[in-house]
Amino acid sequence: MSDTRDYDLIVIGAGSGGVRLARTSAALGARVAVVESRYLGGTCVNVGCVPKKLFVYGAHAGEDIEDAAGYGWQVPPDSVRFDWPTLVANKNTEIDRLNGIYGRLLESAGVTVISGTATVPDPHTVRVGDQSFSTERIVVATGSWPVIPDVPGKECILTSNEMFYLPQLPRHAVIWGGGYIAVEFAGILSGLGVETTLLYRGDRILRGFDEDLREFTQNELLKKGIDIRLGSTIVSVENAESHYQLELNDGTRMSTGLVMAATGRRALVDGLGLEELGVQLSGSGHVVVDDHFQTAVPSIFALGDVIGTPQLTPVALAQAMVLSRRLYGDGERSMDYRNIPTAVFCQPNLGTVGLTEQEAREAGYQLRIYRTDFRPMKHTLSGRDERSLMKLVVDDATDKVLGAHMVGPDAGEIIQGLAVAIQAGATKAQFDATLGIHPTSAEEFVTMREPVKS
Ligand code: NDP
């Protein structure tokens, strides 16, 4: 490491990946600074995973109150009132607390935090305002930002960023998109009593997930009263003072109190000056890196959402661990992008790990498919018309479980445990030899005996 420069490493972006990289590199002896223009903790802590999950809890509480009646609790509907500003204020307090924790973690690791917007005038310099810092290496961890398709009136359309600070909830909302964020926010808004319409251009929401899960989740959302319109997209939006007037691709006009786009996120590299230095961007705008997160400019690296790998916090964290060890430690770990478990926190949750049935068939496996769907025990007394789905994709030749998929309460929690088994290469026989915990939903994963198809 060079002492002639101000730092060994400057990380641009104090999100999940940037903070982890800065801390672990400092712990390995590097002199590290992190530059951040907005908030410590990045999207995940401020306008992503954390506040989203708090809103999901908030939305689900309404169902819990309704479900309590079947268990003898008398909750007169007119005594139950939801107050959105309270939820937002409590969420903000929690985010402030987490911002503070991030600051202290960086401080105690000996990382210098520089507030402001960074530019990279040369491969060993980061400029923030009128200050320039020299550094041996630069890591770009600037994350991603929501994209709104280019339609007339797009300035009226909100993204998830603004949804976390809405002053009040509308009576009716339109959500545009059919991926993670669209489906999660449809669940949140609908659960909080907002009439919700979801517009998706395809023929089934949640493209990329197992087809059975997509169909099942879509049906569950429809049962909850979410108005899902398939093959549907926004052509224009007009601000009509008290409401928004939408025109859809089939000519339909629709009036609503809020329009939110959840139509993907692009890499956030604007104004850094990377391309001028020779850093390559892909056609989709991501920073191009090799297997070791190095760009075409040897002293500049990148990780997290900005490089186009799955836009998930645990992926950015793992990349940061690999890169810090490579630059300053034993360099022994590498990224393994197989079997990334993931959950969509709609209601009920969707959780998944490993190959979908379709991916496994395309890869040429001969399969055994195990599948069950049932009414969770809780709803026998609550009377709620909600079902759960579980599915195992098994390689017939080796008996290895290639994928586990679930829609149902706590699917994320359940799939996280199964991800260990699948990463360890567990076979269906080993699932069968595992005793269940009775009575749980999760035990179904070890009691599915007969394949439903091969
Ligand atoms: P996604 O890529 O998940 O979904 C984007 C959706 O928008 C898709 O349904 C896509 O349709 C649609 N779409 C894209 N472009 C257009 C367009 N021009 N017109 C109409 N529809 C369009 O992105 P999100 O924004 O939902 O989330 C971004 C990422 O953030 C996720 O992919 C995920 O990695 C991460 N995330 C993770 C969460 C979690 O772990 N629980 C929660 C939230 C986000 P089509 O399918 O046809 O392409």
Side-chain angles (χ1 to χ4, degrees):
M1 286 177 244
S2 150
D3 276 343
T4 58
R5 295 192 168 114
D6 295 330
Y7 293 102
D8 298 316
L9 170 66
I10 295 185
V11 183
I12 306 177
S16 303
V19 167
R20 178 63 64 89
L21 178 76
R23 288 173 55 208
T24 49
S25 300
L28 291 167
R31 295 168 308 131
V32 185
V34 59
V35 186
E36 174 56 54
S37 62
R38 277 191 198 87
Y39 26 55
L40 294 181
T43 300
C44 175
V45 168
N46 294 277
V47 286
C49 328
V50 175
K52 178 274 309 289
K53 189 84 188 276
L54 295 174
F55 281 6
V56 169
Y57 284 129
H60 196 74
E63 287 194 354
D64 286 339
I65 294 168
E66 282 173 17
D67 291 346
Y71 288 88
W73 293 89
Q74 292 179 10
V75 190
D78 52 5
S79 73
V80 177
R81 202 177 73 82
F82 169 68
D83 186 55
W84 169 253
T86 303
L87 175 59
V88 173
N90 290 349
K91 179 271 291 179
N92 290 346
T93 304
E94 173 58 7
I95 302 308
D96 285 347
R97 189 182 75 85
L98 295 175
N99 293 147
I101 290 176
Y102 269 70
R104 288 192 290 281
L105 282 174
L106 288 167
E107 192 184 334
S108 63
V111 174
T112 305
V113 178
I114 303 168
S115 295
T117 302
T119 55
V120 186
D122 73 59
H124 293 284
T125 304
V126 173
R127 189 174 295 146
V128 183
D130 53 11
Q131 287 184 293
S132 283
F133 304 94
S134 59
T135 179
E136 188 185 5
R137 296 186 178 107
I138 295 167
V139 175
V140 179
T142 42
S144 61
W145 200 252
V147 181
I148 303 177
D150 216 359
V151 291
K154 72 183 274 193
E155 63 285 354
C156 305
I157 302 179
L158 305 183
T159 68
S160 48
N161 287 346
E162 296 77 46
M163 294 297 287
F164 290 109
Y165 296 96
L166 276 186
Q168 59 192 31
L169 288 179
R171 192 185 56 75
H172 178 267
V174 168
I175 297 183
W176 191 14
Y180 278 87
I181 298 179
V183 168
E184 289 182 343
F185 266 96
I188 290 168
L189 291 179
S190 156
L192 296 177
V194 177
E195 284 173 41
T196 304
T197 297
L198 186 138
L199 305 176
Y200 176 50
R201 64 181 176 182
D203 58 5
R204 194 179 272 174
I205 61 169
L206 293 171
R207 187 165 64 83
F209 289 89
D210 186 275
E211 292 297 328
D212 281 346
L213 264 75
R214 293 176 71 189
E215 185 182 2
F216 195 87
T217 306
Q218 191 165 289
N219 282 339
E220 289 300 313
L221 299 189
L222 286 168
K223 283 198 294 190
K224 296 209 186 268
I226 297 171
D227 169 28
I228 300 177
R229 306 213 184 169
L230 301 171
S232 187
T233 196
I234 296 177
V235 172
S236 69
V237 186
E238 205 182 303
N239 186 347
E241 304 220 338
S242 62
H243 65 281
Y244 298 100
Q245 190 69 33
L246 305 186
E247 189 187 341
L248 307 184
N249 54 330
D250 62 0
T252 310
R253 293 183 74 78
M254 186 184 277
S255 165
T256 186
L258 180 152
V259 190
M260 170 196 170
T263 43
R265 298 176 62 90
R266 67 176 176 85
L268 193 53
V269 289
D270 318 356
L272 284 170
L274 297 177
E275 276 183 293
E276 290 82 337
L277 299 178
V279 172
Q280 287 173 8
L281 301 186
S282 69
S284 55
H286 294 106
V287 177
V288 176
V289 293
D290 65 14
D291 288 347
H292 305 303
F293 307 103
Q294 196 165 26
T295 70
V297 179
S299 61
I300 302 181
F301 297 75
L303 57 71
D305 283 7
V306 84
I307 63 170
T309 43
Q311 295 177 326
L312 299 169
T313 290
V315 170
L317 295 177
Q319 291 173 337
M321 300 300 289
V322 169
L323 181 57
S324 61
R325 286 186 192 189
R326 178 166 182 84
L327 298 180
Y328 305 109
D330 57 22
E332 278 176 7
R333 282 176 56 173
S334 61
M335 273 306 290
D336 179 356
Y337 292 102
R338 293 168 306 148
N339 298 327
I340 298 173
T342 184
V344 182
F345 293 100
C346 45
Q347 296 181 56
N349 294 180
L350 174 162
T352 180
V353 61
L355 298 184
T356 65
E357 180 182 342
Q358 298 72 39
E359 286 168 341
R361 290 201 192 282
E362 274 163 31
Y365 288 102
Q366 186 65 43
L367 299 178
R368 273 177 278 132
I369 302 295
Y370 297 81
R371 193 195 133 123
T372 177
D373 76 277
F374 56 93
R375 184 186 214 187
M377 187 178 176
K378 178 181 174 187
H379 295 316
T380 55
L381 295 201
S382 78
R384 181 172 296 282
D385 178 21
E386 182 184 296
R387 295 184 72 78
S388 293
L389 169 74
M390 290 175 182
K391 177 169 176 178
L392 289 176
V393 178
V394 177
D395 175 18
D396 192 44
T398 61
D399 198 42
K400 236 169 127 171
V401 180
L402 302 173
H405 310 282
M406 171 174 176
V407 181
D410 297 321
E413 308 286 346
I414 292 168
I415 290 292
Q416 178 67 82
L418 290 187
V420 179
I422 288 183
Q423 186 70 353
T427 60
K428 179 66 170 66
Q430 288 168 324
F431 271 61
D432 292 346
T434 303
L435 296 191
I437 299 176
H438 189 69
T440 61
S441 289
E443 69 180 317
E444 296 289 327
F445 269 120
V446 294
T447 54
M448 287 188 267
R449 293 286 179 256
E450 294 300 324
V452 292
K453 59 176 165 168
S454 50

